[in-house]
Every structure is written in structure tokens, then in C-alpha cells.
Amino acid sequence: MIVKRYIVDNMQEAMVKIRYELGNDAVIVSQRKIRQKGFLGFFKPKKIEVTAAADDKDKKSSKHAVSSDIEKEIAELKNMVENLVKNNKETKGTKKSQKIRIKENLLNNDVPEEIIENIIESIKKENGDGKINAKNLEKLLIKYTRELLKEDDKTDSRVQAFVGPTGVGKTTTVAKLASLYSLYRNKKVGLITIDTYRIGAVEQLKAYAEILNIPFGVIYSIKDIPNVLNQMKECDIILVDTTGRSSKNAMQIAETKKFIEEIKPDKISLVLSVTTKQRDIKSIIENYKMLDYNNIILTKLDETDIYGSILTAAYYSKKPISYITVGQNVPDDIEEANSDKLIKLVLGE
Ligand SMILES: Nc1nc2c(ncn2[C@@H]2O[C@H](COP(=O)(O)OP(=O)(O)OP(=O)(O)O)[C@@H](O)[C@H]2O)c(=O)[nH]1
Ligand SMILES: [Mg+2]
């Protein structure tokens, strides 16, 4: 028995290939519509995955003894397929149908309507009255996405604070960065936490400090700040972990702000998980503006295939994305973000 999988545009094409390769007695085992990964996949027509099976003997005999009738039939089918493909190409590419497709597909990907309208407007503006075909749509999308996904300046600021909602991975990210700086970049790193709110939070960061054999300090109240910072005066890099705050609770964020104002970090990173709903990302980004963060770190990219939230985060914050994290392992699962990498994630390869 031979089983083969075909990725085709339509069933006629599948039939031609199956008959030619597996013979007349081949049977179709399954067929399903498939789509490519990433945003660009949404703009491409769906393909069909067809699995066909044939007896080994059938294939050999039929392949060698294709009768002229079958050859004729194949030629006809080929012709049909070519015509179909041609017609398809001609009907695609009108401005209206592309616009509707962009909208539908981005909505499917959970991208907020406002961003979609903005994308369509930019493409319309850029393109004038010209016809949009799949190819220049791709180009414009890449261009637009690149504008949104600004590069981070990547300066290693001395005092860096990490803020964000509960459970997004702030402490884990701080531990990853502490390891990178101390093990790979030979920096003297100090760790500080102001999270004395969640049970076990102090111990969590302290454990990493002990493994890395680096100084560790806890800020219980604002008056501790000068002292704890002073203990770390020898450090090249000081990473400050904070309490997870619900973005809906402005009072809690204001509480963190009091500490941040006194610590005066050189850089504040807003840590966000890409598994967060798009609408929530928008409100987190807005409500945390109170803390005047400089850049964004996106976590848990390993937990999803839909990367629309990268675009959402960049669009609403207008801040660069500095790191992405891709798993629970310290320190391995963190990567510096750059525009090319982010564009690939958002739009697909
Ligand atoms: N899959 C995955 N899990 C992650 C990632 N980063 C962190 N986590 C996990 O997310 C959970 C919460 O991580 P923490 O670092 O404690 O999150 P936090 O933001 O400090 O949480 P709070 O201090 O409670 O606000 C842990 O189980 C981490 O292992 C990541 O990139 N991918
Ligand atoms: Mg934490």
C-alpha cells in the first residue's frame, strides 16, 4: 500500500496528480482545507490537503500501461486546472475583495478593529488607486509592520525595573536577564524585589540570586530604598522585580509608581504575555502608561501560534519590544527582539 499526501489548490489538480502517480484505482482517504501560519497565510487562498492510497501493484501496472484514453483524460484535466488557476488569478486582486479579506482575516486573528482600519488606510494611502494584488499587499504589509515594530536601542541601563500584570513572567524574566548579564556578559549584577505582597515572591527571586551568587535586596517600604540601592553600589546592572498588578486597579499601579519614583530606574520594562487577550493588552498598555515605561518585553511566545498580540502591543504602546521569552527555562528561553524576527513572527516566514 502506498499512501501519499498532496497539497493542492483544488480537487481537479489533486485528481490529476493522484491518477498519474498512484494509478486509476487509487482512493482518496481524506481531504481537508489548510491554511499557512502567520498573518500572510490568511491572505493566501486556502490549500487542500488530500491523502490518497493505492495498492503497490496497481501503481506499477498502471504507470507503465497508461492507456491513451487515460493520457487524453489527463491532458484534458490539466487543461481544466490551468484554466481554473488562470481564472482564479484574474478574479483576485480587486481592491474591494482584498480589503474585505484583510479585515476578515485580521479579525479572525483577534486583532482589534482599530488596527485593521489603520492597516487598510495605510495600504490605501500608499497604493493610491492602483490595483492591489497579493504580492504588493504583502510588501505593503511588511513595510507597515516594520514601521510599527520599532527596534530597541539595546542600551544596558544600570537600574532596570520590570512591571506588569500578575503571572506574566516578570520574576522569571528578571532571572533570565540576570543570568545573561552575569554569566555571558561578565557584568556585576544585583537583584532587588519590591514584591513583598505575594507569598513566596521574595524567596523566588532570592533563590535565583543564590544560584548566581549575586547580591540580593528586598525593599519593604519606600524608606528602605536608599539603603538597598547603596548596598549595590558596586553593581553594573541592578534588576528590580515588582509586584504583579491588575491593570484594572489603578490604585495598585499607583502604589508601584511611588516605589518606582523613588528608585528612579534608568529603564522601565513593561512585561506582557502574548497569551493575553488583545483587548486586555490594550487596556494594560494604557493603564500602565502611568509608570512611563520605556519598552516592552513579550513573554510566553511558546504558548501560542497567533502572534497578533505583538502588533497590538507595538501599536498601542508606540514603544520598542526589547526581548521575547519562549519558555520557562532560565536562562535559555529568552531572545533579544529585533524587527526582522518580529515581522517573521507576525506575518509568517
Ligand atoms: N511557557 C512559558 N512560561 C513562562 C514564561 N515565562 C514565565 N513563565 C511561567 O509563568 C509562570 C509565572 O512566572 P513568574 O515569573 O512568577 O510571573 P510574575 O509575573 O513574576 O508573577 P507575579 O509575581 O505573581 O505577578 C511561571 O510558571 C513561569 O515559569 C515563558 O516565556 N513561557
Ligand atoms: Mg513575580
Side-chain angles (χ1 to χ4, degrees), residues 39 105-112 116 276-279 306 308-309 312:
F39 275 0
N105 297 329
L106 289 177
L107 278 175
N108 280 344
N109 228 353
D110 206 16
V111 175
I116 301 173
T276 312
K277 275 200 230 98
Q278 307 278 4
R279 251 171 287 149
I306 294 175
S309 42
T312 310

Short mmCIF file of all heavy atoms in Angstrom, two decimals, residues 39 105-112 116 276-279 306 308-309 312:
data_model
loop_
_atom_site.label_atom_id
_atom_site.label_comp_id
_atom_site.label_asym_id
_atom_site.label_seq_id
_atom_site.Cartn_x
_atom_site.Cartn_y
_atom_site.Cartn_z
N PHE A 39 0.14 35.83 9.68
CA PHE A 39 -0.86 36.68 9.03
C PHE A 39 -0.91 36.49 7.53
O PHE A 39 -1.95 36.46 6.92
CB PHE A 39 -0.54 38.16 9.28
CG PHE A 39 -1.09 38.65 10.58
CD1 PHE A 39 -1.79 37.81 11.40
CD2 PHE A 39 -0.90 39.97 10.96
CE1 PHE A 39 -2.30 38.26 12.60
CE2 PHE A 39 -1.39 40.43 12.15
CZ PHE A 39 -2.08 39.57 12.97
N ASN A 105 -9.71 38.42 7.87
CA ASN A 105 -8.64 37.57 8.37
C ASN A 105 -7.96 38.13 9.60
O ASN A 105 -7.58 37.40 10.50
CB ASN A 105 -7.62 37.33 7.24
CG ASN A 105 -8.27 36.56 6.11
OD1 ASN A 105 -9.17 35.77 6.35
ND2 ASN A 105 -7.84 36.81 4.90
N LEU A 106 -7.81 39.45 9.65
CA LEU A 106 -7.22 40.03 10.85
C LEU A 106 -8.17 39.91 12.03
O LEU A 106 -7.76 39.65 13.15
CB LEU A 106 -6.83 41.49 10.62
CG LEU A 106 -5.62 41.71 9.69
CD1 LEU A 106 -5.37 43.19 9.49
CD2 LEU A 106 -4.37 41.06 10.23
N LEU A 107 -9.47 40.05 11.75
CA LEU A 107 -10.44 39.87 12.83
C LEU A 107 -10.38 38.45 13.38
O LEU A 107 -10.40 38.24 14.57
CB LEU A 107 -11.86 40.18 12.34
CG LEU A 107 -12.27 41.65 12.30
CD1 LEU A 107 -13.65 41.80 11.69
CD2 LEU A 107 -12.25 42.27 13.69
N ASN A 108 -10.25 37.50 12.46
CA ASN A 108 -10.09 36.11 12.89
C ASN A 108 -8.90 35.94 13.80
O ASN A 108 -8.86 35.07 14.64
CB ASN A 108 -9.87 35.19 11.68
CG ASN A 108 -11.17 34.88 10.98
OD1 ASN A 108 -12.23 35.10 11.56
ND2 ASN A 108 -11.09 34.40 9.76
N ASN A 109 -7.89 36.76 13.53
CA ASN A 109 -6.65 36.65 14.30
C ASN A 109 -6.70 37.49 15.56
O ASN A 109 -5.69 37.71 16.20
CB ASN A 109 -5.48 37.10 13.42
CG ASN A 109 -4.35 36.11 13.49
OD1 ASN A 109 -4.41 35.18 14.28
ND2 ASN A 109 -3.35 36.32 12.68
N ASP A 110 -7.90 37.98 15.90
CA ASP A 110 -8.10 38.67 17.17
C ASP A 110 -7.40 40.03 17.22
O ASP A 110 -7.07 40.52 18.29
CB ASP A 110 -7.60 37.76 18.31
CG ASP A 110 -8.30 38.07 19.62
OD1 ASP A 110 -9.34 38.74 19.56
OD2 ASP A 110 -7.80 37.67 20.68
N VAL A 111 -7.16 40.63 16.05
CA VAL A 111 -6.55 41.96 16.03
C VAL A 111 -7.67 43.00 16.15
O VAL A 111 -8.67 42.90 15.47
CB VAL A 111 -5.76 42.19 14.72
CG1 VAL A 111 -5.23 43.61 14.63
CG2 VAL A 111 -4.61 41.19 14.63
N PRO A 112 -7.51 43.98 17.04
CA PRO A 112 -8.57 44.97 17.22
C PRO A 112 -8.91 45.72 15.92
O PRO A 112 -8.03 45.99 15.10
CB PRO A 112 -7.97 45.95 18.24
CG PRO A 112 -6.91 45.19 18.93
CD PRO A 112 -6.38 44.21 17.94
N ILE A 116 -6.88 47.25 12.34
CA ILE A 116 -7.21 46.78 10.99
C ILE A 116 -7.52 47.97 10.09
O ILE A 116 -7.01 48.08 8.97
CB ILE A 116 -8.42 45.82 11.03
CG1 ILE A 116 -8.08 44.61 11.91
CG2 ILE A 116 -8.80 45.38 9.63
CD1 ILE A 116 -9.24 43.69 12.16
N THR A 276 -2.28 36.93 26.44
CA THR A 276 -3.34 37.82 26.93
C THR A 276 -4.26 38.21 25.77
O THR A 276 -3.80 38.40 24.66
CB THR A 276 -2.70 39.11 27.50
OG1 THR A 276 -1.64 38.71 28.36
CG2 THR A 276 -3.69 39.94 28.26
N LYS A 277 -5.55 38.34 26.07
CA LYS A 277 -6.49 38.75 25.02
C LYS A 277 -6.13 40.13 24.50
O LYS A 277 -5.71 41.00 25.24
CB LYS A 277 -7.91 38.80 25.59
CG LYS A 277 -8.59 37.47 25.58
CD LYS A 277 -10.11 37.69 25.68
CE LYS A 277 -10.70 36.85 26.76
NZ LYS A 277 -10.93 37.48 28.03
N GLN A 278 -6.34 40.34 23.20
CA GLN A 278 -5.97 41.61 22.57
C GLN A 278 -6.56 42.82 23.28
O GLN A 278 -5.89 43.81 23.50
CB GLN A 278 -6.43 41.63 21.11
CG GLN A 278 -5.98 40.45 20.31
CD GLN A 278 -4.56 40.61 19.81
OE1 GLN A 278 -3.89 41.59 20.11
NE2 GLN A 278 -4.10 39.68 19.02
N ARG A 279 -7.83 42.71 23.64
CA ARG A 279 -8.47 43.85 24.27
C ARG A 279 -7.84 44.15 25.63
O ARG A 279 -7.69 45.30 26.02
CB ARG A 279 -9.97 43.60 24.43
CG ARG A 279 -10.77 44.47 23.47
CD ARG A 279 -12.23 44.06 23.48
NE ARG A 279 -12.38 42.79 22.78
CZ ARG A 279 -13.30 41.87 23.07
NH1 ARG A 279 -14.12 42.05 24.07
NH2 ARG A 279 -13.37 40.76 22.38
N ILE A 306 -0.61 32.29 17.48
CA ILE A 306 -1.18 33.53 16.95
C ILE A 306 -0.43 34.70 17.55
O ILE A 306 -0.46 34.94 18.76
CB ILE A 306 -2.69 33.60 17.28
CG1 ILE A 306 -3.40 32.48 16.52
CG2 ILE A 306 -3.27 34.96 16.89
CD1 ILE A 306 -4.85 32.35 16.85
N GLY A 308 -0.66 37.95 16.73
CA GLY A 308 -1.28 39.26 16.53
C GLY A 308 -1.01 40.20 17.69
O GLY A 308 -0.92 41.42 17.50
N SER A 309 -0.87 39.64 18.89
CA SER A 309 -0.67 40.50 20.06
C SER A 309 0.64 41.27 19.99
O SER A 309 0.78 42.31 20.63
CB SER A 309 -0.75 39.68 21.34
OG SER A 309 -0.06 38.48 21.17
N THR A 312 -0.41 44.32 18.31
CA THR A 312 -1.27 45.09 19.20
C THR A 312 -0.42 45.85 20.23
O THR A 312 -0.63 47.04 20.47
CB THR A 312 -2.25 44.16 19.95
OG1 THR A 312 -2.87 43.32 18.98
CG2 THR A 312 -3.31 44.93 20.69
#
